[in-house]
Amino acid sequence: MFDLAKIRDDFPILSRKVHGQPLVYFDNAATSQKPIAVINSITDYYDRYNSNVHRGVHTLSGEATDAYEGARAQIGRWFGITDPGEVILLRGATEALNLVANTIAGELKRGDVILVGETEHHANIVPWQQLESRLGVTVVPVPVDSTGMLDLKAAKTLCEKHPVAVIAIGHVSNAIGALNDVEGFIALAKENSAYSVIDGAQAAPHMLVNVKNLQADFYAVSAHKCCGPTGIGVLFGRRELLERLPPWQGGGDMIDRVSFSGTTYNELPWKFEAGTPNIADTIGFSAALRYLESIDFAAAIAHENRVHEYLIDSMLNRNTVDVLGNPERWVSVCSFNVKGSHPTDVGTLLDQLGVAVRTGHHCAMPTMEYFGLPGTVRASIAFYNSIEEVDRFLDALDRVTGMLSS
Ligand code: PLP
């Protein structure tokens, strides 16, 4: 049984007030809140066994290494990956996508085309654009349809017309919440001998993702969207590709032997992890996944989907707002504008009533361009949100709408 009241008690921040009002936190797509188990795991590391990992001969270093590598194994298992060599620990989804673009750069040739979803977060657009002038490759957008889904048929046509070498797609779009047909895009990449790169930053918090079964070449995840700390994320990659590709950053830990007559590199996954890693937050991320396991994640997601559906139905029935998109498969997000009002004004006034939402382009300017908008207000749901909070949000929204129209 999913006990929402008990779950909410696990998140200390959810009981705070903002401007004298109980907080309604609907900015989960920007970052999720953290349960006490995650906060404690980080303090515990600093209190008891803070030390640098790998190569230490003393007890604390051994404990830190065991916890760090144990966390890697736990993170891999959650996503269906049993080979720790395929779990590269990085700063976040942004760094993961930059790593992929910069390492497969050496395999691309002038004239190659990189297909990128039109609704991508900038983290899955800009690293590819940066290759254009360097390599003579071209980034071509995979069009979005009017519902907000990426158009797989159009991508197939693009593959017939161009030498496509990479297909880079978001699993769930952060500005709309559309759950894209990633399986279809991964299959299309395979048919065309192109790399498949999936940005899973907005999917992992809302569904159990089995990266092994998906069979993408690369899959990027961000811990802070999944109840984990900021500054940590993962790149999952297929071993044979990661072995073939060169390291990205150089420094400690990623080497085997360094000499002025030639340097050799460490084995996977450390070949891609130069320098002291983010030890505390890796441990914190694994604590977050253990927490999600302990609460019955499937039941939590079923609850979240009910709350999201209620929010969407209520918003689609309001003639004072325009909701962005209407995808067939819709997750967490409700992006909207109050008719005749600027999103920043709406967000600022909602904050005065205790409701936290995000406003603006959501790092997805091409999405805004497609819909002809400067930005939207984005309410995004997590499993710890409630139907009552949606009602409080709707009341606040009605008050704000009234204030702005008077
Ligand atoms: N991709 C998507 C779809 C996102 O929503 C975000 C964060 O907002 C990112 C990538 C960047 O992730 P990170 O904060 O881990 O760098």
Side-chain angles (χ1 to χ4, degrees):
M1 233 334 248
F2 181 71
D3 184 346
L4 181 60
K6 191 165 166 292
I7 298 286
R8 288 181 65 84
D9 282 347
D10 293 336
F11 291 80
I13 207 168
L14 296 180
S15 55
R16 74 160 280 184
K17 290 192 166 172
V18 170
H19 301 298
Q21 307 285 335
L23 168 69
V24 174
Y25 186 76
F26 279 2
D27 194 18
N28 295 289
T31 198
S32 62
Q33 294 303 345
K34 322 302 173 200
I36 195 75
V38 169
I39 300 164
N40 286 346
S41 76
I42 296 168
T43 13
D44 184 49
Y45 163 73
Y46 284 120
D47 275 352
R48 289 197 312 110
Y49 59 102
N50 170 48
S51 183
N52 213 333
V53 289
H54 306 144
R55 298 178 313 280
V57 292
H58 61 83
T59 302
L60 295 191
S61 180
E63 287 177 10
T65 303
D66 287 350
Y68 178 72
E69 292 301 337
R72 185 197 308 278
Q74 151 87 23
I75 294 163
R77 275 197 304 275
W78 179 263
F79 289 95
I81 299 291
T82 48
D83 176 359
E86 296 187 326
V87 183
I88 315 293
L89 297 166
L90 300 161
R91 264 196 311 127
T94 302
E95 190 174 37
L97 293 162
N98 275 275
L99 187 157
V100 176
N102 280 280
T103 50
I104 64 178
E107 312 239 322
L108 302 179
K109 53 185 191 313
R110 181 166 288 281
D112 277 348
V113 161
I114 299 169
L115 293 189
V116 171
E118 194 170 8
T119 50
E120 295 314 296
H121 186 282
H122 298 161
N124 201 21
I125 299 176
V126 183
W128 303 111
Q129 287 179 324
Q130 287 174 322
L131 299 183
E132 286 188 302
S133 55
R134 207 170 108 200
L135 302 176
V137 296
T138 310
V139 172
V140 174
V142 173
V144 55
D145 67 22
S146 60
T147 73
M149 300 282 287
L150 291 176
D151 190 338
L152 181 59
K153 260 200 198 138
K156 283 184 180 156
T157 309
L158 288 169
C159 284
E160 281 155 19
K161 283 195 192 147
H162 302 288
V164 172
V166 180
I167 301 185
I169 296 293
H171 200 160
V172 170
S173 62
N174 72 310
I176 301 169
L179 170 57
N180 288 309
D181 179 4
V182 277
E183 292 84 356
F185 282 102
I186 292 164
L188 182 65
K190 272 199 187 21
E191 281 160 30
N192 289 276
S193 305
Y195 290 106
S196 54
V197 183
I198 307 299
D199 176 358
Q202 293 293 343
H206 306 294
M207 64 197 71
L208 201 54
V209 177
N210 187 311
V211 174
K212 193 87 199 164
N213 290 350
L214 269 183
Q215 294 189 3
D217 291 328
F218 300 99
Y219 193 95
V221 165
S222 173
H224 71 91
K225 317 259 190 207
C226 306
C227 297
T230 53
I232 187 75
V234 192
L235 174 68
F236 297 104
R238 289 203 295 112
R239 175 174 272 279
E240 62 267 36
L241 292 178
L242 293 173
E243 269 172 354
R244 192 174 77 217
L245 294 171
W248 181 32
Q249 295 178 329
D253 251 21
M254 53 74 72
I255 51 85
D256 169 34
R257 265 191 72 77
V258 177
S259 155
F260 284 106
S261 60
T263 289
T264 52
Y265 302 125
N266 205 342
E267 52 191 61
L268 293 174
W270 306 288
K271 175 176 129 180
F272 289 104
E273 295 179 4
T276 299
N278 187 346
I279 305 161
D281 296 316
T282 303
I283 292 166
F285 186 24
S286 117
L289 298 179
R290 274 201 309 278
Y291 173 78
L292 295 181
E293 209 164 38
S294 76
I295 61 165
D296 185 352
F297 188 58
I301 291 309
H303 161 80
E304 176 189 305
N305 288 337
R306 280 193 296 275
V307 177
H308 178 248
E309 220 173 284
Y310 178 65
L311 170 66
I312 292 291
D313 287 348
S314 312
M315 291 295 279
L316 289 175
N317 282 324
R318 257 177 170 65
N319 56 15
T320 49
V321 298
D322 291 317
V323 174
L324 190 67
N326 192 355
E328 195 185 320
R329 300 191 298 169
W330 205 341
V331 179
S332 171
V333 167
C334 178
S335 226
F336 66 94
N337 275 305
V338 171
K339 286 180 177 144
S341 300
H342 195 277
T344 312
D345 296 338
V346 176
T348 308
L349 289 170
L350 281 173
D351 176 62
Q352 293 299 310
L353 301 173
V355 177
V357 290
R358 189 135 301 240
T359 63
H361 55 66
H362 316 296
C363 295
M365 282 184 181
T367 307
M368 299 300 134
E369 202 177 307
Y370 171 81
F371 285 98
L373 298 167
T376 67
V377 183
R378 183 183 67 185
S380 50
I381 302 296
F383 60 85
Y384 42 70
N385 290 127
S386 66
I387 296 279
E388 293 72 37
E389 284 183 306
V390 174
D391 284 335
R392 289 222 301 278
F393 160 78
L394 294 169
D395 282 350
L397 187 62
D398 286 345
R399 282 178 62 189
V400 166
T401 306
M403 283 182 229
L404 288 169
S405 64
S406 60

